[in-house]
Amino acid sequence: GVAVAGALMVFMVVGCGGGLSAGSTCKDFSEASFEEQHEVIDSLSSKYDTPDYTSPLGESEVGYYCAGSPDTTLEEFFENASDSGEAG
């Protein structure tokens, strides 16, 4: 009972507009609104110099990756994209 209620509280706080950040997981990203996804992609693309992800095709690429890697943080995704030179 208490653990379930606690988990629901965390979900409600995360789901109710706390917004996404570099520390958010891909699971968080997948559950967020389009607007939140767009904002965090713009922010992290700028921070990690990966401008290709700001295009409509690039944004969907983040979603595809996250669907298969729910525990990866967005920071890890953008760091890897930046290091590998995939995005530019």
Side-chain angles (χ1 to χ4, degrees):
V2 174
V4 172
L8 287 174
M9 277 298 260
V10 170
F11 177 76
M12 288 172 62
V13 170
V14 170
C16 287
L20 295 170
S21 68
S24 299
T25 63
C26 275
K27 183 175 190 279
D28 298 332
F29 178 86
S30 298
E31 294 173 350
S33 69
F34 173 79
E35 290 80 14
E36 288 175 314
Q37 291 176 354
H38 180 75
E39 287 174 15
V40 77
I41 288 172
D42 278 354
S43 173
L44 295 177
S45 288
S46 176
K47 180 178 177 180
Y48 290 99
D49 193 28
T50 55
D52 289 354
Y53 288 108
T54 60
S55 73
L57 288 175
E59 285 190 5
S60 64
E61 209 173 304
V62 178
Y64 291 138
Y65 175 86
C66 280
S69 303
D71 295 330
T72 301
T73 65
L74 297 176
E75 181 175 38
E76 290 169 330
F77 172 83
F78 279 94
E79 280 180 348
N80 290 336
S82 178
D83 290 346
S84 68
E86 286 179 12

